[in-house]
Amino acid sequence: MVFFLIAIATALLYAVGGMFMKLSNGYISPLPSILSYALFALGVHLQIYLLTRNSSLGMTGILVLGLDALCTVLLGVFLFKEAYTSIKMAGIALVIIGAIFLQAEGG
């Protein structure tokens, strides 16, 4: 359970880092740029922690990737009012479902 919570935190750091990257206007605005780099660095740190606690590089990476996709879409929809077609949402759902299945199988 702790592993999964850390994976969620890692994905949130990556997603919020991406949000600040968008707000940095191509890394021109200083504060969003610094926050973007800092959040990505913290995300990498947590992902390295996960990898040292789990023997499966692929499963850990896929789990964080799926969670990151979900967090990024939610940020886009709720903060940036981005629209997603049903086809795009189905594709995102497949990525997330795949990550869940692979993690369940990988233990």
Side-chain angles (χ1 to χ4, degrees):
M1 184 61 164
V2 172
F3 178 86
F4 192 68
L5 291 174
I6 294 172
I8 291 171
T10 303
L12 282 170
L13 287 168
Y14 287 149
V16 175
M19 179 192 73
F20 280 110
M21 182 171 57
K22 179 178 177 76
L23 295 173
S24 74
N25 298 316
Y27 287 113
I28 294 172
S29 301
L31 183 59
S33 299
I34 292 167
L35 289 172
S36 175
Y37 281 119
L39 292 169
F40 285 147
L42 287 171
V44 168
H45 179 74
L46 282 182
Q47 192 161 7
I48 290 169
Y49 175 82
L50 289 174
L51 290 171
T52 60
R53 302 303 186 269
N54 184 356
S55 62
S56 178
L57 170 65
M59 294 306 119
T60 301
I62 290 169
L63 175 64
V64 171
L65 175 66
L67 292 169
D68 179 29
L70 175 63
C71 293
T72 301
V73 167
L74 292 174
L75 283 173
V77 168
F78 292 112
L79 295 180
F80 295 104
K81 307 298 183 212
E82 295 175 355
Y84 289 90
T85 65
S86 57
I87 296 293
K88 288 180 182 178
M89 292 304 288
I92 293 164
L94 287 173
V95 169
I96 293 165
I97 290 167
I100 291 168
F101 281 148
L102 287 170
Q103 183 63 25
E105 179 67 26

